C-alpha cells in the first residue's frame, strides 16, 4: 500500500504563490478561495532576522479529525495513498470538519460542500505530480510514496532535518518541512 | 511570529461571497463560469487540446502550453522544451488565464467624446478609428514633419507598429524600459565591457558559487529563469550575499545580509573593491590580460576604506571585509548581479559601472558562473523596402549632446521625448502612439505626463485593458490578448539559441484585434501599405522562418525550436573581445573623462529624509507585473492590494500597527490613496517600501480600482542621470498620515 505525502524544502521556497495559482487553475478553485497558501515566519529584530517561508495545505493526516467528525460520511480516506477527500454530493456543508481541522485547510465551496486540497489525486492516478509540485519554479516541493524507501520523499526524510506542522495535535500530518 | 495567511482572510469573507453569489444566481468559479466571454468558443471542440505559445505576462517570454478544454482555456503550463521556463511558468504566467477572462477588457475601438482624462467615449468601428488616426497623423506630418509623432512601446507585440512608425518617418521610438529601468545598467556595463547584459540577462546564476544581489530581490522579482537558477545554486550550497535596506526573501537565504542605508551603494562597492585590491584577492591574471587603466583605478579607490564606508552605509567594516573575502573565495564563479530596475538616485550608471568593475576584479565576465556570452539563432528579418530617412534627428537628446552615453540609434529617452512635447524644443512633438505601456505608471511625475499630453494633437493608446493612460487618449485601440494572437518571432539571445512562436489558442471574444493587423490596416489608411507586402501574419512568419531553414508548421506544433549549443564562456573558446575604445575592460574610462565625467566611479552623498519623513522605495510582487496585472482576478486573489512596509519600532512611534490603513504625503504635498500598514522587522527605520503597480484610479479597472497606493503617484521628484538620461526615482520622501 502506498502512503502519499509531501516534502517541502523551505530553503528553496521563495513564497511566490505559483503553487496557489496552479492549484487554482488546475482545480478551478473559485474566486475568493484557495486550497493552498504561503506562510512566512519571521523571528528576530532587524537586521538580525530569521525567516522561513512555506507553502501549506491539507496535511492528509493519518489520523484525520475531519473524517472522524463528519456526520455524512462525505469526508473520507481514499483507497489510494491515504489521501483525505470529500464526496461533494454527500457533504451537507455543516462545517464540522472546518472546526476540527487544526490547519485551517478547508472552506465551504460556493456550491455548498467542504473543499480542500486533494493532492491532485486525478493527476496522481495518471502518474503525474500534483499541480503545485510540478509548477514550482524553485523545485522546493516533492510528492511521493512515504512507504517506498526509494522514493524522493523518503530519501529526503532520511537525509535531512525535518518537522511537520502542529504535530502535537496528534493528527499525524503527512507533509514534512525541511529546514 | 509574523504570519501571512491569506487563506484566513478568504474564510472570513466567504460568508459574504456566498451571499453575493446566491443573489446573482451563480455558483462556482467567477473567473470562468460567470464570464460572458466564454459564450464564444473556438469551434466548440470537445476534449482537451494542447497548444504551445509564449507568455506575455512579463517581458521574459517563457514558452507555455495552453490547455483548451471543451473550447475554453483551462490552464497554462510551461513548455518543457523552452530553456527559459524549463516547463515551469511563474505565478503570473500560470495566472495568464485571468488575463484572457478579465471582464474589464477593452472590447471595441473608442474615440474620446469629452475632455481628456474624463474616460468618456464613443465606440466606433475599426475603420472609423483608423480614418480618425490617419487624418490626424497626415496633418501632423504636413504641419510639423513625421518626426512630430512619437511611439512609446513595451514588449515584442509592439514590433509591427514600430515598423509602421519607421515607415511613417519618425525616429522618435522609445520605451520606458531604458530610462525608467535598465538603461543605467546597460550603459554602465557597455562603458566597462563594451557590451550590456541584455534581456534575459546573461547571468550564469545556476553555475555561480557566490551570488551577490544589490537591491535585486529575486523571488519577489519573478524573472523565471533567474529565480529557478537562484534556487538551484542555493540548493547546491552556493554562497549568497544580499545588500538591501529591506530584509528581502533573498536576504532570508543569504549567508551575509548587509542592511544598507538607501542611496549609499557606491560607497559599499568602492570599499569592497579597495579590500579586494589591497588584499590581492582579485584575479590578477585576468586583470593584467584584459584590463585597461587598472593602476589609475587602484589609486583612485585607495581612499575608500571600510571604516569610511561604514559612516556612509551603516554597514560594519568587518562585515564589509568578510563579504568581500567571501566573494573572492569563489571567483571567477562569483556573480555580482547587474540588477534590472536600476533607476534609483540619478548616479545609477556610475553605480552600475562599479558593479561591472567588481565583476571584472572577480574575473567573472565571460566565465562560467559569471556572465556568459549568449548565442542566437540566425533568423533574417523580413525583406522590407528601406525606410524614409528622417530629416530631423531624435528629439530626446539632440546630437547626443545632453546625455553623451545614451547611444545614438540605440536608446531613446522617454523623459526626453516628454520634455520636448512640453517645451516644443528642439522641435514640437504633436502625436503620441503607445503600445502596451501605461505611461502614467511607468514614468515619474504624472503631472508632467499630463502636461505633455495636453500639448498633443493626437494620443493613441493600444492596450488590452483600460489603463490610466487610456483614460487620457483620443483613440483607444483594443488589442487581442497574447493568447488570441500571433506576434513576431522570439529569436532570443540566451545561453542556448532558440526561436519561439506566439500563436492564438482561442479567438478574441469581441472586436479586439492583434497588433499586426492594426499596424497593417493603419498602414493602408496612411498610404504606407507597400511597407506591409504580406497578406497576413502567417505569410510573414513563414517567409522569415523559411529564410532560416525552419518551418512554421513545425513551430506551430512545438512552440519552440532549439538551435545548436555554442560556446558561451572564454574557457570554451569564446574570443575575449571587448568593444570599448581600448578594446579592453576599462577600469579607467577615457571616454568618460573626455566628456567631463568621473573615469572611475566616485561616491556622492544623497540627501537624506528630514526628521519624521521616510524615503519611499518600491519593488516587485511575485504575482504582478508593472501596473498591468492587478485587475487579473486570479492574480488579485493572490495579492489584491499592496502594503506599506515600515519598521516595527517606527510604526510604534507613529501609533500605527499592521492592518491599519494610512495615507502617504510626499515632499510636494501629494497624498496617496489609503494603504495597509505592514509593521515589520524586515526593513530599516529610515525608509518605507511598497510594491509597484497598485492604487489604480482608472474606474474601468473594476477589480483594481483604488486598491492600495500608487508609488508612481508619489514619485513627483526624479533626478536625471547625466550620462544617459535615466530618471532616478528613489529620492522621494513621505510622511505617514494616520
Amino acid at each position: 500500500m502506498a502512503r502519499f505525502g509531501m516534502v517541502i524544502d523551505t530553503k528553496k521556497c521563495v513564497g511566490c504563490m505559483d503553487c496557489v495559482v496552479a492549484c487554482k487553475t488546475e482545480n478551478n478553485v473559485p474566486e475568493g478561495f484557495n486550497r493552498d497558501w504561503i506562510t512566512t515566519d519571521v523571528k528576530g529584530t532587524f537586521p538580525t532576522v530569521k525567516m522561513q517561508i512555506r507553502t501549506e495545505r491539507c496535511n492528509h493526516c493519518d489520523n484525520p479529525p475531519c473524517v472522524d467528525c463528519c456526520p455524512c460520511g462525505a469526508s473520507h480516506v481514499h483507497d489510494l495513498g491515504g489521501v483525505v477527500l470529500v464526496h461533494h454530493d454527500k457533504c451537507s456543508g455543516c462545517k464540522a470538519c472546518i472546526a476540527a481541522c487544526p490547519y485551517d485547510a478547508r472552506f465551504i465551496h460556493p456550491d455548498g460542500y467542504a473543499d480542500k486540497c486533494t493532492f491532485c489525486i486525478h493527476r496522481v492516478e495518471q502518474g503525474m505530480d500534483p499541480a503545485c509540485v510540478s509548477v514550482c519554479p524553485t523545485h522546493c516541493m516533492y510528492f511521493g510514496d512515504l512507504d517506498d524507501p526509494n522514493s524522493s520523499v523518503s530519501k529526503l526524510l532520511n537525509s535531512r532535518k525535518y518537522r511537520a506542522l502542529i504535530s502535537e495535535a496528534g493528527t499525524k500530518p503527512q507533509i514534512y518541512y525541511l529546514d | 511570529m509574523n504570519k501571512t495567511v491569506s487563506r484566513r482572510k478568504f474564510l472570513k469573507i466567504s460568508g459574504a461571497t456566498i451571499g453575493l453569489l446566491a443573489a446573482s444566481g451563480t455558483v462556482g468559479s467567477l473567473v470562468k463560469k460567470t464570464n460572458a466571454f466564454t459564450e464564444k468558443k473556438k469551434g466548440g471542440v470537445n476534449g482537451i487540446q494542447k497548444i504551445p505559445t509564449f507568455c506575455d505576462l512579463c517581458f521574459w517570454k517563457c514558452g507555455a502550453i495552453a490547455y483548451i478544454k471543451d473550447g475554453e482555456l483551462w490552464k497554462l503550463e510551461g513548455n518543457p522544451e523552452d530553456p527559459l521556463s524549463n516547463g515551469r511558468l511563474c505565478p503570473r504566467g500560470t495566472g495568464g488565464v485571468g488575463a484572457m477572462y478579465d471582464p474589464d477588457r477593452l472590447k471595441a475601438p473608442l474615440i474620446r467624446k469629452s475632455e481628456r482624462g474624463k474616460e468618456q467615449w464613443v465606440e466606433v468601428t475599426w475603420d472609423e478609428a483608423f480614418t480618425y488616426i490617419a487624418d490626424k497623423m497626415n496633418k501632423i506630418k504636413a504641419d510639423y514633419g513625421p518626426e512630430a509623432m512619437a511611439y512609446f512601446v513595451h514588449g515584442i507585440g509592439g514590433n509591427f507598429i514600430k515598423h509602421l512608425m519607421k515607415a511613417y518617418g519618425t525616429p522618435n521610438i522609445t520605451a520606458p524600459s531604458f530610462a525608467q529601468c535598465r538603461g543605467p545598467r546597460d550603459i554602465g556595463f557597455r562603458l566597462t565591457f563594451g557590451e550590456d547584459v541584455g534581456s534575459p540577462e546573461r547571468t550564469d546564476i545556476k553555475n555561480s558559487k557566490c551570488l551577490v544581489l544589490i537591491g535585486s530581490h529575486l523571488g519577489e522579482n519573478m524573472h523565471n529563469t533567474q529565480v529557478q537558477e537562484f534556487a538551484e545554486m542555493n540548493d547546491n550550497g552556493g554562497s549568497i550575499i544580499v545588500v538591501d535596506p529591506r530584509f528581502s526573501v533573498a536576504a532570508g537565504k543569504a549567508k551575509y545580509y548587509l542592511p544598507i542605508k538607501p542611496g549609499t551603494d557606491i560607497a559599499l562597492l568602492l570599499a569592497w573593491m579597495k579590500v579586494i585590491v589591497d588584499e590581492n584577492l582579485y584575479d590578477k591574471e585576468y586583470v593584467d590580460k584584459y584590463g585597461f587603466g587598472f593602476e589609475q583605478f587602484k589609486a583612485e579607490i585607495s581612499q575608500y576604506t571600510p571604516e569610511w564606508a561604514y559612516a556612509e552605509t551603516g554597514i560594519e567594516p568587518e562585515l564589509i571585509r568578510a563579504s568581500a573575502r567571501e566573494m573572492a573565495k569563489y571567483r571567477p564563479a562569483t556573480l555580482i548581479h547587474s540588477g534590472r530596475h536600476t533607476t534609483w538616485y540619478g548616479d545609477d550608471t556610475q553605480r552600475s559601472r562599479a558593479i561591472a568593475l567588481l565583476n571584472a576584479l572577480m574575473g567573472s565576465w565571460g566565465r562560467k558562473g559569471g556572465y556568459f556570452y549568449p548565442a542566437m539563432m540566425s533568423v533574417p528579418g523580413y525583406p522590407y523596402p528601406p525606410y524614409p530617412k528622417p530629416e530631423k534627428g531624435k528629439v530626446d537628446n539632440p546630437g547626443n549632446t545632453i546625455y553623451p552615453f545614451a547611444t545614438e540609434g540605440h536608446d531613446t529617452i522617454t523623459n526626453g521625448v516628454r520634455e520636448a512635447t512640453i517645451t516644443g524644443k528642439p522641435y514640437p512633438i504633436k502625436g503620441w502612439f503607445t503600445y502596451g505601456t501605461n505611461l502614467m505608471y511607468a514614468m515619474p511625475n504624472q503631472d508632467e505626463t499630463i502636461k505633455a499630453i495636453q500639448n498633443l494633437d493626437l494620443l493613441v493608446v493600444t492596450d488590452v485593458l483600460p489603463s490610466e493612460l487610456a483614460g487620457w487618449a483620443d483613440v483607444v485601440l483594443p488589442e487581442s490578448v497574447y493568447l488570441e494572437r500571433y506576434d513576431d518571432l522570439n529569436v532570443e539571445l540566451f545561453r542556448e539559441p532558440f526561436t519561439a512562436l506566439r500563436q492564438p489558442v482561442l479567438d478574441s471574444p469581441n472586436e479586439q484585434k492583434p497588433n499586426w493587423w492594426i499596424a497593417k490596416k493603419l498602414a493602408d489608411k496612411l498610404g504606407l501599405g507597400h511597407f506591409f507586402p504580406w497578406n497576413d501574419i502567417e505569410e510573414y512568419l513563414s517567409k522569415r522562418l523559411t529564410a532560416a531553414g525552419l518551418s512554421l508548421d513545425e513551430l506551430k506544433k512545438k512552440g519552440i525550436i532549439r538551435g545548436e549549443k555554442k560556446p558561451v564562456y572564454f574557457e570554451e573558446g569564446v574570443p575575449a573581445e571587448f568593444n570599448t575604445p581600448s578594446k579592453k575592460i576599462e577600469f579607467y574610462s577615457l571616454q568618460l573623462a573626455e566628456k567631463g565625467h568621473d573615469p572611475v566611479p566616485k561616491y556622492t552623498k544623497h540627501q537624506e529624509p528630514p526628521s519624521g519623513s521616510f524615503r519611499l522605495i518600491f519593488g516587485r510582487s511575485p504575482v504582478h507585473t508593472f501596473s498591468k496585472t492587478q485587475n487579473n482576478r486570479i492574480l488579485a486573489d493572490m495579492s489584491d492590494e499592496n502594503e506599506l512596509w515600515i519598521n516595527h519600532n517606527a510604526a510604534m512611534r507613529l501609533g500605527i500597527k499592521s492592518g491599519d490603513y494610512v495615507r502617504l504625503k510626499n515632499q510636494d504635498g501629494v497624498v496617496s490613496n489609503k494603504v495597509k500598514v505592514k509593521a515589520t522587522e524586515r526593513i530599516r527605520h529610515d525608509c518605507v517600501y511598497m510594491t509597484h503597480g497598485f492604487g489604480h484610479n482608472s474606474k474601468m479597472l473594476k477589480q483594481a480600482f483604488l486598491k492600495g497606493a500608487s508609488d508612481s503617484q508619489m514619485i513627483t521628484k526624479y533626478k536625471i542621470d547625466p550620462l544617459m538620461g535615466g530618471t532616478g526615482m528613489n529620492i522621494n520622501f513621505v510622511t505617514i498620515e494616520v
Side-chain angles (χ1 to χ4, degrees), chain B residues 316-473:
Chain B
E316 302 276 352
E318 275 320 301
L319 185 51
I320 296 176
R321 287 196 175 89
S323 49
R325 290 169 192 149
E326 179 80 1
M327 282 180 229
K329 197 154 76 181
Y330 299 104
R331 68 172 173 77
T334 295
L335 173 62
I336 299 99
H337 198 290
S338 57
R340 184 167 180 115
H341 185 272
T342 50
T343 42
W344 300 349
Y345 303 104
D347 56 0
D348 307 300
T349 302
Q350 289 286 12
R351 183 187 66 251
S352 297
R353 209 173 112 66
I355 292 172
L357 289 172
L358 182 56
N359 278 294
L361 291 176
M362 295 294 113
S364 67
W365 182 264
R367 308 280 281 280
K368 190 172 181 181
Y371 289 84
F372 58 79
Y373 270 68
M376 191 185 216
M377 280 171 91
S378 170
V379 181
Y382 195 92
Y384 285 129
Y387 297 122
K389 190 168 166 29
E391 282 177 26
K392 298 173 210 156
K394 289 195 298 179
V395 79
D396 62 313
N397 187 20
N400 252 32
T401 49
I402 308 173
Y403 309 111
F405 298 101
T407 324
E408 179 89 39
H410 193 102
D411 314 304
T412 307
I413 302 159
T414 43
N415 36 302
V417 176
R418 182 175 73 176
E419 184 68 18
T421 310
I422 294 170
T423 63
K425 293 190 168 60
Y427 58 81
I429 295 289
K430 301 308 277 185
W432 285 7
F433 205 113
T434 76
Y435 176 86
T437 178
N438 183 7
L439 297 177
M440 299 304 291
Y441 269 73
M443 297 185 71
N445 198 314
Q446 297 178 337
D447 279 354
E448 286 182 31
T449 305
I450 292 167
K451 207 166 156 192
I453 288 171
Q454 297 294 30
N455 275 355
L456 296 174
D457 294 340
L458 176 67
L459 172 58
V460 181
V461 169
T462 316
D463 214 327
V464 295
L465 281 172
S467 68
E468 281 69 19
L469 184 67
W472 290 90

Side-chain angles (χ1 to χ4, degrees), chain B residues 575-705:
Chain B
E577 289 167 359
F578 306 96
N579 191 25
T580 57
S582 64
K583 302 293 169 202
K584 294 197 159 191
I585 299 171
E586 302 211 332
F587 283 91
Y588 185 92
S589 170
L590 286 172
Q591 50 172 339
L592 277 169
E594 273 163 26
K595 300 285 182 186
H597 296 285
D598 299 329
V600 174
K602 277 186 170 37
Y603 171 67
T604 324
K605 256 186 207 293
H606 294 292
Q607 197 191 337
E608 287 184 32
S611 171
S613 284
F614 300 85
R615 185 185 299 274
L616 175 64
I617 56 175
F618 61 96
R620 305 287 174 208
S621 157
V623 292
H624 289 294
T625 302
F626 308 145
S627 63
K628 66 188 232 178
T629 56
Q630 291 74 22
N631 211 59
N632 177 319
R633 301 314 196 264
I634 291 176
L635 298 179
D637 251 5
M638 305 301 122
S639 165
D640 64 351
E641 63 185 322
N642 55 356
E643 292 175 310
L644 184 77
W645 293 48
I646 180 168
N647 178 274
H648 198 254
N649 286 337
M652 281 212 299
R653 280 198 296 276
L654 289 167
I656 56 175
K657 59 183 189 307
S658 287
D660 290 352
Y661 279 86
V662 296
R663 291 177 197 270
L664 303 179
K665 186 179 187 180
N666 79 358
Q667 69 283 330
D668 296 320
V670 177
V671 178
S672 77
N673 188 37
K674 62 186 176 27
V675 59
K676 196 197 270 184
V677 171
K678 178 187 170 106
T680 175
E681 293 295 343
R682 292 178 57 193
I683 192 166
R684 285 175 62 95
H685 63 280
D686 52 4
C687 54
V688 289
Y689 169 87
M690 60 167 87
T691 53
H692 173 74
F694 283 93
H696 283 274
N697 59 16
S698 165
K699 292 185 198 73
M700 297 185 286
L701 297 172
K702 292 191 183 70
Q703 164 64 40
F705 182 59

Side-chain angles (χ1 to χ4, degrees), chain B residues 54-341:
Chain B
F54 64 84
C55 184
D56 194 37
L57 268 282
C58 85
F59 40 78
W60 209 255
K61 303 189 277 284
C62 290
I65 294 174
Y67 285 68
I68 310 296
K69 191 175 174 180
D70 302 335
E72 277 184 47
L73 177 62
W74 168 27
K75 63 177 176 178
L76 295 158
E77 290 183 354
N79 184 342
E81 284 304 307
D82 168 40
L84 292 172
S85 74
N86 300 301
R88 292 169 185 240
L89 294 176
C90 87
R92 298 162 302 170
T94 308
V97 178
M100 179 147 175
Y101 291 122
D102 191 324
D104 302 328
R105 281 178 59 180
L106 292 164
K107 295 178 179 67
L110 304 171
I111 291 183
R112 182 166 59 82
K113 71 168 186 187
S114 67
E115 60 189 285
R116 281 187 176 131
K118 291 267 190 220
E119 301 183 19
Q120 288 173 324
W121 317 96
V122 274
E123 279 194 14
V124 296
T125 64
W126 278 100
D127 192 62
E128 286 168 317
F130 289 142
T131 301
Y132 182 96
I133 296 167
D135 286 351
K136 293 270 188 180
M137 282 178 69
N138 283 331
K139 188 161 186 335
I140 288 169
K141 192 186 253 184
D143 293 350
Y144 302 97
E147 300 87 352
M149 276 300 296
Y151 178 45
F152 292 79
V153 55
H154 186 275
I156 194 169
N159 284 11
F160 292 102
I161 299 172
K162 191 183 287 177
H163 169 61
L164 171 63
M165 290 296 149
K166 287 180 179 170
Y168 173 83
T170 182
N172 293 312
I173 294 169
T174 184
S177 52
F178 179 70
Q180 277 71 50
C181 192
R182 57 190 168 78
R185 171 196 86 177
D186 290 354
I187 303 302
F189 274 67
R190 271 185 229 158
L191 284 165
T192 310
F193 298 113
E195 288 180 51
D196 60 54
V197 299
S199 171
E201 284 82 2
R202 55 206 285 182
T203 45
D204 196 17
I205 297 173
K206 74 172 174 186
N207 291 310
S208 71
K209 298 198 170 80
C210 178
L211 177 66
V212 185
L213 299 173
I214 304 171
S216 286
H217 46 324
L218 287 183
E220 290 158 282
N221 179 351
M222 279 309 291
H223 299 153
N224 195 354
T225 330
Q226 293 201 15
V227 174
Q228 294 190 16
E229 295 189 12
F230 173 57
E232 190 179 339
M233 74 79 67
N234 185 24
D235 195 35
N236 290 338
S239 180
I240 296 165
I241 299 171
V242 169
V243 180
D244 204 310
R246 190 177 62 94
F247 191 86
S248 59
V249 165
K253 319 277 182 204
K255 179 169 179 187
Y256 293 100
Y257 168 54
L258 284 64
I260 196 164
K261 182 199 282 183
T264 66
D265 309 88
I266 296 180
L268 171 67
L269 285 157
L270 291 168
W272 265 345
M273 292 196 284
K274 176 180 166 62
V275 171
I276 287 162
V277 170
D278 279 2
E279 299 186 9
N280 273 313
L281 300 173
Y282 64 100
D283 189 334
K284 193 162 184 311
E285 194 189 330
Y286 182 96
V287 168
D288 286 350
K289 201 165 165 190
Y290 305 130
F292 170 84
F294 180 74
E295 289 307 318
Q296 288 144 297
F297 161 82
K298 186 178 169 181
E300 173 65 30
I301 62 162
S302 64
Q303 57 190 303
Y304 303 113
T305 63
E307 283 69 23
W308 164 83
Y310 173 50
E312 301 302 323
T313 62
I315 298 168
E316 302 276 352
E318 275 320 301
L319 185 51
I320 296 176
R321 287 196 175 89
S323 49
R325 290 169 192 149
E326 179 80 1
M327 282 180 229
K329 197 154 76 181
Y330 299 104
R331 68 172 173 77
T334 295
L335 173 62
I336 299 99
H337 198 290
S338 57
R340 184 167 180 115
H341 185 272

Side-chain angles (χ1 to χ4, degrees), chain A residues 37-165:
Chain A
W37 62 94
I38 298 291
T39 298
T40 305
D41 284 346
V42 177
K43 284 179 189 145
T45 314
F46 187 85
T48 314
V49 176
K50 283 259 175 248
M51 185 160 72
Q52 186 180 72
I53 304 171
R54 300 187 293 272
T55 167
E56 297 185 12
R57 60 192 46 63
C58 168
N59 278 267
H60 296 274
C61 303
D62 256 353
N63 182 18
C66 54
V67 172
D68 296 343
C69 76
C70 179
C72 316
S75 278
H76 65 285
V77 178
H78 189 56
D79 294 339
L80 180 63
V83 178
V84 176
L85 297 176
V86 180
H87 289 303
H88 296 172
D89 46 351
K90 284 190 187 171
C91 177
S92 68
C94 76
K95 301 184 191 169
C97 57
I98 292 180
C101 175
Y103 301 100
D104 213 358
R106 291 174 168 238
F107 59 91
I108 298 294
H109 188 282
D111 284 349
Y113 55 82
D115 198 13
K116 65 166 198 73
C117 164
T118 62
F119 266 169
C120 280
I121 193 73
H122 63 290
R123 288 172 63 95
V124 173
E125 282 171 347
Q126 291 173 43
M128 290 186 283
D129 274 335
C132 55
V133 176
S134 60
V135 79
C136 178
T138 70
H139 293 250
C140 81
M141 306 171 66
Y142 303 83
F143 177 83
D145 182 0
L146 294 163
D147 285 347
D148 173 2
N150 293 316
S151 67
S152 58
V153 284
S154 297
K155 282 180 179 166
L156 280 164
L157 295 183
N158 277 328
S159 60
R160 297 264 303 264
K161 252 178 78 179
Y162 64 86
R163 68 175 178 124
L165 300 177

